[in-house]
Amino acid sequence: MGLLSDPNRRRALISMLTRLNAPICVVCYFAGVAWFMGLAFEPFTLRTYMSENAMGSTMVEERFPAGERALATGREFAAHKKKVGGMPVDWLVKNMQDRGLEVFTQSFSRTLPFPDENKERYIVKGTNVYGILRAPRAPRTEALVLSAPCSPGDNNNQAVGLLLGLAQYFRNQIYWAKDIIFLVNEHDLIGMQAWLEGYHHTNTTGMSWSPLQGRGGSIQAALSLELSSDVITSLDLVLEGLNGQLPNLDLANLFYAFCQKIGVLCTIQGKLQRNDWDSVSGYNHAVQTMMLMVMKQASGRPWGDHGLFLRYHIEAATIKGVNSFRQYKTDATTIGRLLEGMYRKLNNLLERLHQSYFFYLMPSLSHFVSIGYYMPAFGLLAVILLLRALDLWVQLNTPPSTTEDGVADIDQVRHTLLSVLTPLVISHLTGVALYALPIRFQETAVEHFPVSETEAVVLTAIAIYTAGLALPHNTHRYYIVSTVPDVRGWRVLKLVAVLYLAVLLGCTALINFSLGFILALTLVPLAAFVTPHVPKVLSAFILVILSPACTLLFSVFFFQELQDMPVSFQDGWLLYLSVISQGILDHSLYGSLVYPLIALLVYPCWLLFWNILFWK
Amino acid sequence: MLCYTSLDILDIQWIWQFFSSGHTNNWAVLVCTSRFWFNYRHVANTLSVYRSVKRLGIPDSHIVLMLADDMACNHRNPKPATVFSHKNMELNVYGDDVEVDYRGYEVTVENFLRVLTGRLPPSTPRSKRLLSDDRSNILIYLTGHGGNGFLKFQDSEEISNVELADAFEQMWQKRRYNELLFIIDTCQGASMYERFYSPNIMALASSQVGEDSLSHQPDLAIGVHLMDRYTFYMLEFLEDIHPASKTNMNDLFKVCPKSQCVSTPGHRTDLFLRDPGSVLITDFFGSVRKVELTMDAINLTDPIKQMEEDPVNGEEQKEVYSYADQLPVSEIIHQKPKQKDWHPPDGFILGLWTLILLVFFKTYGIKHLKHIF
């Protein structure tokens, strides 16, 4: 007979499962963590390679000559920006028209739900200026985008100058098969969101913008430029976008190939590559680079202006120029040549970039780990939840020690199910409160407490989160009193909670592996060990430490540590508060899903486990 | 009519050589099967062979040129209206008198096979037809992406070596060629000529089975590879040929050894009746009118006699050939006349009914018989 249909064998399998459950769970957990840490070890990674045949190798001749003129244009731009006190729209329009582009502007405005203290803005009004270089002989079906943000102060002037210089050079070439759109966006991400929404005729975030007068066909790829100095020592590539989405790996491969050809120093996550992978410090370096990418991806926010393109299936990356204390400097002409080479290769594309990976982690710019290699780390963690669920199912199905007649059994089952429903509903209502109330009641909070709106929102969120901890003591009153003491009630709740967590983390990991993995690292052990019978005070403490809010707090400190900028506790706490406010803002401005996910789904799940701990 | 008279031995040899090849006209079918900008080199290959063939005398009316994509007018070409075959843009093979017969999406396996076998719809213009006869020497050149036993057309279909061999057999049976030279420059090209079984075919390929044919040189200004190695060296070889040169096929077999080509070019001559050493390059690549000037008088003293047999000289007619009727239309259209009168049913149906009746009466008893009759 089969393994599962033979009752003897089944009984043996089940007994083995119940006996060995805890050891297997522990082994799986450590195996998952070890697998994840092993991903950065260089023999386990693959070298990057160009997958798209149409792009071929880097065999183009770059001839961009006008780096100095581009810098002069950048200085002019800076002067006009200071004079106008914002975006010098007229100067930009005239300049782009002089270079032979078709120029259009778009104005947009948005009132943030509460003031943004990081960037000091509340009611945002701005204008985007973009010029289209029409392909001389091709139909207007496809386009490429080069963008530079117009930032306040002295930032990114050289980027706009280089953009205009490249526009003039590109205009004189006849080999363009796609239109090239040169975009200068104001208020960085908000302006970019307005432009993209206008270009694709969608309106998902409630921004008001004027419709675009000129259009160029479907966008195949986009690059965003950030350059704030005349000379640079290295170029940094930023890939992480909104909701942890990444561009196609071929774009990173293209950048790396050209960096090698032209001889510019290129970094990712701001970290240089090292060749000594077999030494401990080399491995540490790779792990740090990979962890930085994981942290940035898990935060779900776009780390450059390119991050918003990814949602429209446009492969985009941001290239940042970094000027540090190194001897060898690269000038603007070389950066211009690198961009020229990249655009000539993107010009050769016949279809959108799709040959290479969309889900990957990069421990360095020349090595990558694809989804097939990193998913088992998460799978090992998810298996723990499934094993626990099986164990609970077995316990629930063993007949109870006291004999009952059929009627009482059914009653007990019904009461158990109803008693499970109550904590579920109440946890989710708390989640909804955590999602909706902070923004709604910020005026009331500001009236009653001496705090600014941003602080009001964040502190309301933390208050609701902490209030949820008091729930189990209050919800007991609403349980339906059953005649028979239901010792099994918490098991049913735990089974439901564990399966719910498994599905939730699985779906999250599919879309945003880093977020799913980080949540799994803390929530899975919590889900595995919590029962009403463990010591209450210690377990309550551990549960709070492993809750999503504390995970976020530790991640903030860890992230600063990884970037070699460790912070003190006070600064870290303020940073933590600003991270929460940025998360809420990202959700309402760009549609980031991290805050709703945590508030509406992960937090109620954690509350269920809190309920189980205090089950009476 | 030629006759044996009292001629010198040297004169006889010279006369033999004069009529050694047996063909009276030359055709060329040059096909490039791949499209897209990064396959620039395949179009450049084909145009280089076209250029050589035209230079050596085959006119456009006898060349069927099939190019699957237009590189000269591609939006990405920084030098529009040109296709270069040497880097630094020394040689523009697109020129100003290129006549492309099948262009773009017209280059399909079906069209290629129809051109070879002659089964084209009546509306096809003459420039798109291979109007060869049994005295034609045909050069067929294919280039593109290929594999073991197939050649890829246009990114969506393939022609197999078996199909090609059968097409050539059809050509032989319809007497559409005298001798055929087949050159292919693709990866694993030798697999394409493995299956040939028709006589008088000589084949060359740029690489053996399991080897890749490599491209020659990229041009950084244009941004693509310009030519494949085998065709590049073949073009260099052909540039030295002029209409009167006596270079033979053995020299063509030596073009692009492994040191230059990295792959091993192959050739196949077992189906060819003549010795390759006696086959001139211009027998296939050029259209040479055989003219010999002589200052001596040839004394034909004896009266002209009928030639008994002459196996090499194919100009005598032994028997009259006629084309086999490929499509006997009259037989197909001819239908059986409809039978308008009633005719008794088949014996089988009759027997079946008898059986049914017998079974009926057996089951229900013979007494019912009297109710019927």
Side-chain angles (χ1 to χ4, degrees):
Chain A
M1 283 223 272
L3 194 63
L4 290 177
S5 48
D6 183 5
N8 287 330
R9 285 201 204 153
R10 194 153 53 166
R11 230 174 289 133
L13 206 64
I14 291 174
S15 71
M16 188 178 70
L17 197 68
T18 36
R19 255 183 316 120
L20 294 178
N21 206 312
I24 295 183
C25 287
V26 170
V27 165
C28 278
Y29 185 76
F30 285 112
V33 173
W35 188 296
F36 181 73
M37 298 308 280
L39 287 175
F41 190 49
E42 196 161 301
F44 296 159
T45 59
L46 293 168
R47 285 204 78 92
T48 55
Y49 54 94
M50 210 55 134
S51 299
E52 174 69 57
N53 198 11
M55 283 211 291
S57 61
T58 56
M59 52 181 177
V60 279
E61 206 179 343
E62 303 91 2
R63 292 211 202 100
F64 178 66
E68 296 307 315
R69 217 174 330 145
L71 292 178
T73 318
R75 283 189 280 272
E76 249 188 82
F77 172 72
H80 278 90
K81 188 166 72 169
K82 202 185 294 195
K83 194 166 77 172
V84 173
M87 174 104 137
V89 176
D90 297 323
W91 180 86
L92 268 175
V93 168
K94 181 176 172 309
N95 226 294
M96 281 191 184
Q97 269 172 349
D98 287 342
R99 285 157 214 267
L101 308 178
E102 292 178 17
V103 190
F104 307 95
T105 59
Q106 179 202 29
S107 55
F108 59 92
S109 74
R110 174 89 159 116
T111 310
L112 274 62
F114 54 89
D116 181 356
E117 286 190 349
N118 282 19
K119 300 209 176 93
E120 282 152 21
R121 54 191 183 191
Y122 180 44
I123 302 179
V124 173
K125 280 206 215 340
T127 321
N128 293 328
V129 178
Y130 64 104
I132 306 181
L133 187 155
R134 297 287 182 195
R137 293 171 281 151
R140 301 173 179 188
T141 47
E142 290 172 348
L144 297 168
V145 173
L146 178 61
S147 82
C150 169
S151 313
D154 267 338
N155 296 326
N156 286 327
N157 296 327
Q158 285 85 352
V160 176
L162 189 59
L163 181 132
L164 293 172
L166 280 173
Q168 183 160 26
Y169 177 71
F170 284 0
R171 184 71 178 86
N172 290 332
Q173 312 302 321
I174 55 170
Y175 45 68
W176 298 113
K178 304 183 205 288
D179 294 344
I180 305 189
I181 303 178
F182 295 93
L183 169 68
V184 180
N185 53 323
E186 198 178 356
H187 299 297
D188 50 88
L189 284 168
I190 299 184
M192 186 61 90
Q193 179 71 19
W195 190 81
L196 281 170
E197 284 189 358
Y199 199 87
H200 293 99
H201 309 297
T202 60
N203 197 334
T204 50
T205 57
M207 210 181 302
S208 62
W209 35 263
S210 64
L212 294 184
Q213 304 295 324
R215 223 177 159 273
S218 72
I219 304 177
Q220 305 288 298
L223 283 178
S224 178
L225 201 56
E226 287 180 23
L227 191 61
S228 302
S229 54
D230 282 356
V231 286
I232 58 159
T233 53
S234 63
L235 281 175
D236 194 41
L237 182 71
V238 184
L239 295 171
E240 300 84 9
L242 188 65
N243 289 330
Q245 202 174 352
L246 299 169
N248 197 296
L249 189 57
D250 262 341
L251 200 58
N253 297 340
L254 184 68
F255 175 74
Y256 183 59
F258 270 100
C259 281
Q260 284 197 307
K261 179 185 180 203
I262 294 191
V264 181
L265 204 58
C266 287
T267 62
I268 192 168
Q269 318 299 343
K271 290 201 184 286
L272 265 181
Q273 228 168 298
R274 284 168 66 141
N275 287 332
D276 54 343
W277 53 265
D278 43 356
S279 70
V280 175
S281 55
Y283 173 69
N284 263 342
H285 189 86
V287 167
Q288 278 179 19
T289 317
M290 196 178 77
M291 284 310 295
L292 271 171
M293 179 164 182
V294 164
M295 292 273 141
K296 285 188 179 174
Q297 199 185 7
S299 69
R301 59 190 323 244
W303 287 86
D305 284 358
H306 72 286
L308 297 172
F309 280 93
L310 297 169
R311 193 177 11 200
Y312 298 93
H313 201 46
I314 300 170
E315 312 309 327
T318 298
I319 298 180
K320 282 210 293 220
V322 171
N323 193 9
S324 64
F325 305 105
R326 224 174 258 281
Q327 276 211 313
Y328 190 73
K329 307 268 186 194
T330 314
D331 64 344
T333 313
T334 319
I335 307 176
R337 288 211 173 142
L338 189 138
L339 290 171
E340 179 199 350
M342 283 183 79
Y343 271 86
R344 268 203 84 175
K345 281 289 140 187
L346 288 172
N347 182 39
N348 282 354
L349 280 179
L350 296 155
E351 310 164 290
R352 287 182 193 274
L353 286 168
H354 66 282
Q355 301 278 8
S356 190
Y357 298 94
F358 286 102
F359 296 96
Y360 51 89
L361 290 174
M362 298 189 85
S364 76
L365 200 50
S366 62
H367 287 83
F368 75 99
V369 181
S370 72
I371 184 171
Y373 286 100
Y374 68 56
M375 233 4 154
F378 177 78
L380 284 167
L381 293 181
V383 150
I384 298 176
L385 292 173
L386 293 177
L387 283 174
R388 275 281 169 229
L390 272 174
D391 188 34
L392 283 165
W393 180 255
V394 162
Q395 286 177 20
L396 280 173
N397 278 342
T398 51
S401 45
T402 58
T403 51
E404 316 266 349
D405 55 330
V407 177
D409 260 339
I410 296 172
D411 271 347
Q412 185 172 43
V413 164
R414 206 183 301 135
H415 289 161
T416 316
L417 280 178
L418 275 175
S419 60
V420 160
L421 207 58
T422 318
L424 265 177
V425 168
I426 294 186
S427 308
H428 281 88
L429 283 177
T430 320
V432 169
L434 181 61
Y435 175 70
L437 292 186
I439 297 182
R440 211 171 283 259
F441 288 131
Q442 54 175 318
E443 291 100 17
T444 336
V446 167
E447 273 173 34
H448 293 290
F449 299 99
V451 288
S452 66
E453 283 96 341
T454 319
E455 286 175 2
V457 169
V458 174
L459 293 174
T460 316
I462 297 183
I464 298 179
Y465 190 94
T466 328
L469 298 181
L471 274 175
H473 307 284
N474 296 328
T475 51
H476 276 281
R477 290 190 219 133
Y478 297 101
Y479 286 167
I480 296 171
V481 177
S482 58
T483 52
V484 180
D486 51 3
V487 291
R488 299 154 24 115
W490 71 266
R491 287 207 173 84
V492 177
L493 181 59
K494 187 169 175 191
L495 179 63
V496 168
V498 160
L499 288 176
Y500 181 40
L501 185 67
V503 167
L504 187 63
L505 288 179
C507 295
T508 313
L510 278 179
I511 302 173
N512 188 342
F513 166 76
S514 311
L515 184 61
F517 190 74
I518 291 179
L519 286 175
L521 269 181
T522 50
L523 291 176
V524 162
L526 181 161
F529 88 86
V530 77
T531 63
H533 307 303
V534 292
K536 290 262 194 282
V537 177
L538 182 65
S539 317
F541 181 66
I542 294 180
L543 237 71
V544 169
I545 294 287
L546 292 178
S547 73
C550 284
T551 315
L552 184 60
L553 184 63
F554 293 140
S555 311
V556 165
F557 283 103
F558 188 50
F559 186 62
Q560 292 298 118
E561 209 35 74
L562 281 175
Q563 286 183 317
D564 295 325
M565 295 191 296
V567 287
S568 64
F569 187 71
Q570 273 92 340
D571 292 332
W573 176 256
L574 288 173
L575 197 57
Y576 173 65
L577 293 181
S578 79
V579 162
I580 297 182
S581 73
Q582 287 295 314
I584 303 177
L585 268 180
D586 279 351
H587 169 62
S588 62
L589 281 178
Y590 320 122
S592 160
L593 293 173
V594 174
Y595 183 68
L597 180 82
I598 306 271
L600 291 173
L601 293 172
V602 174
Y603 175 64
C605 200
W606 179 84
L607 267 186
L608 285 177
F609 290 109
W610 184 258
N611 265 315
I612 293 172
L613 182 62
F614 289 102
W615 189 273
K616 278 211 220 338
Chain B
M1 286 291 191
L2 191 65
C3 56
Y4 278 109
T5 58
S6 55
L7 298 167
D8 291 343
I9 305 293
L10 290 169
D11 282 343
I12 291 173
Q13 279 181 345
W14 163 77
I15 291 171
W16 278 127
Q17 208 163 23
F18 194 73
F19 293 106
S20 63
S21 70
H23 72 283
T24 58
N25 55 79
N26 285 85
W27 283 83
V29 178
L30 310 173
V31 184
C32 161
T33 60
S34 43
R35 53 173 38 240
F36 302 138
W37 175 245
F38 54 87
N39 290 322
Y40 185 101
R41 58 189 187 279
H42 297 141
V43 173
N45 289 348
T46 318
L47 286 172
S48 312
V49 177
Y50 173 78
R51 181 182 179 285
S52 310
V53 149
K54 243 176 109 157
R55 189 176 54 82
L56 291 172
I58 303 185
D60 273 316
S61 55
H62 281 228
I63 303 178
V64 177
L65 178 61
M66 305 170 83
L67 296 180
D69 201 358
D70 186 4
M71 295 307 167
C73 298
N74 192 307
H75 311 310
R76 295 169 181 80
N77 195 344
K79 309 270 173 229
T82 62
V83 173
F84 288 104
S85 68
H86 278 66
K87 74 170 172 202
N88 301 327
M89 292 172 273
E90 292 163 14
L91 186 59
N92 173 17
V93 288
Y94 200 65
D96 51 4
D97 61 345
V98 164
E99 203 178 282
V100 183
D101 301 305
Y102 285 82
R103 57 188 74 230
Y105 288 108
E106 289 172 353
V107 178
T108 58
V109 174
E110 182 185 343
N111 280 349
F112 176 59
L113 291 176
R114 282 186 186 279
V115 162
L116 288 182
T117 56
R119 297 174 192 278
L120 287 161
S123 56
T124 319
R126 283 181 75 92
S127 58
K128 287 187 164 166
R129 288 177 187 265
L130 178 66
L131 296 165
S132 55
D133 55 24
D134 64 329
R135 289 273 157 257
S136 308
N137 274 11
I138 308 184
L139 164 72
I140 299 186
Y141 176 81
L142 291 172
T143 184
H145 288 290
N148 192 353
F150 67 92
L151 171 64
K152 184 173 84 156
F153 266 70
Q154 295 266 18
D155 220 33
S156 60
E157 50 181 4
E158 309 162 345
I159 186 172
S160 65
N161 48 5
V162 176
E163 280 178 321
L164 198 56
D166 287 341
F168 287 160
E169 176 64 13
Q170 281 191 53
M171 287 174 80
W172 174 252
Q173 286 192 4
K174 291 170 77 162
R175 304 285 184 263
R176 280 169 69 79
Y177 69 89
N178 176 39
E179 283 164 351
L180 200 98
L181 177 63
F182 174 78
I183 305 182
I184 183 161
D185 188 352
T186 64
C187 302
Q188 307 193 51
S191 62
M192 287 306 281
Y193 61 61
E194 274 171 3
R195 301 289 191 129
F196 292 167
Y197 55 95
S198 318
N200 275 349
I201 301 185
M202 186 163 11
L204 281 109
S206 61
S207 57
Q208 300 293 332
V209 174
E211 286 181 346
D212 286 340
S213 281
L214 300 179
S215 52
H216 187 232
Q217 47 185 318
D219 182 300
L220 293 182
I222 302 181
V224 284
H225 287 281
L226 293 186
M227 282 270 269
D228 279 330
R229 285 176 187 244
Y230 182 73
T231 313
F232 180 79
Y233 289 108
M234 195 169 76
L235 178 64
E236 267 189 4
F237 171 77
L238 289 174
E239 291 285 303
D240 290 333
I241 309 283
H242 54 88
S245 46
K246 299 287 172 217
T247 338
N248 56 39
M249 278 298 164
N250 282 336
D251 301 321
L252 188 60
F253 295 157
K254 294 202 203 89
V255 159
C256 208
K258 199 172 165 83
S259 55
Q260 281 176 330
C261 255
V262 184
S263 57
T264 319
H267 54 90
R268 179 177 178 181
T269 52
D270 57 314
L271 294 166
F272 204 73
L273 293 176
R274 291 194 284 152
D275 168 39
S278 69
V279 179
L280 301 178
I281 299 284
T282 51
D283 280 351
F284 289 101
F285 281 87
S287 185
V288 182
R289 297 273 172 269
K290 294 212 167 46
V291 174
E292 285 284 341
L293 294 179
T294 171
M295 294 303 178
D296 320 317
I298 299 180
N299 202 359
L300 304 171
T301 50
D302 288 344
I304 294 173
K305 276 197 288 258
Q306 195 83 4
M307 284 290 294
E308 307 313 323
E309 84 274 72
D310 199 335
V312 180
N313 193 338
E315 281 182 32
E316 288 157 337
Q317 311 247 314
K318 297 280 193 300
E319 57 203 63
V320 177
Y321 293 121
S322 66
Y323 281 111
D325 198 359
Q326 299 292 335
L327 201 66
V329 172
S330 52
E331 279 164 9
I332 292 175
I333 291 184
H334 173 73
Q335 288 167 345
K336 278 202 215 150
K338 281 204 186 98
Q339 293 188 334
K340 297 199 178 65
D341 333 325
W342 177 85
H343 53 281
D346 268 353
F348 171 70
I349 299 178
L350 203 58
L352 188 67
W353 275 109
T354 316
L355 187 66
I356 289 172
L357 284 170
L358 275 174
V359 168
F360 173 73
F361 285 116
K362 201 76 182 184
T363 324
Y364 292 105
I366 207 83
K367 58 183 186 296
H368 289 101
L369 207 55
K370 63 172 179 287
H371 293 287
I372 296 169
F373 292 114

